[in-house]
Amino acid sequence: MAKANIEDYLEQGMYGKKEINPAERRKYLSSLRERVIMVLTQAQVLEKEVYTELLPLFKQHPKACVFLNGHMNYTHLIKYVKLATTHNIRYKIVLNKDHNSDLGLVFAEEFAIDLDNIYIEKKQKSVNIKPVKRSFWKRLIRFCRRIVK
């Protein structure tokens, strides 16, 4: 029994502490899926506007933490850092040299909550249709027709 403990101790010293679900932790930026409240992909974090779906979640889970992907440029992450600090939410920038997750932001609790839908759909871009500007002569003819009627 003592020999097994020594071998475990030596392995831990050489290779580091054993992790539970290392692939899942790499994907969810050092958190587990069962703890995740909401995630944003890297493409969603790169958008100019902040996803306001986070605000009610910040109020519901004040002790949760925002994990940000360290492979992304800090200029894109700063808006979420500011949002987290204004709402007194902890944040961590996670950089895994061996793996780059497709997620840009993970909002997770310290304990298991196991929510079904953690992904937020991309915002629909509103398309502004500009009215076609008619030439001066067409507008004049149309104006004259209205007067005649």
Side-chain angles (χ1 to χ4, degrees), residues 53-64:
E53 290 87 348
L54 277 169
L55 299 177
L57 296 175
F58 282 170
K59 292 177 183 175
Q60 290 176 359
H61 305 278
K63 294 189 179 185

Side-chain angles (χ1 to χ4, degrees), residues 8 21 48 70 74 80 87 111 113 116 123 125 135 145:
D8 289 340
N21 296 334
K48 283 186 178 182
Y74 190 72
Y80 290 102
H87 289 87
F111 51 87
I113 54 174
D116 291 333
K123 290 183 178 179
K125 294 189 177 186
S135 70
R145 285 183 183 163

Side-chain angles (χ1 to χ4, degrees), residues 13 77 118 120 143:
L77 300 178
I118 60 171
I120 291 186
F143 177 74

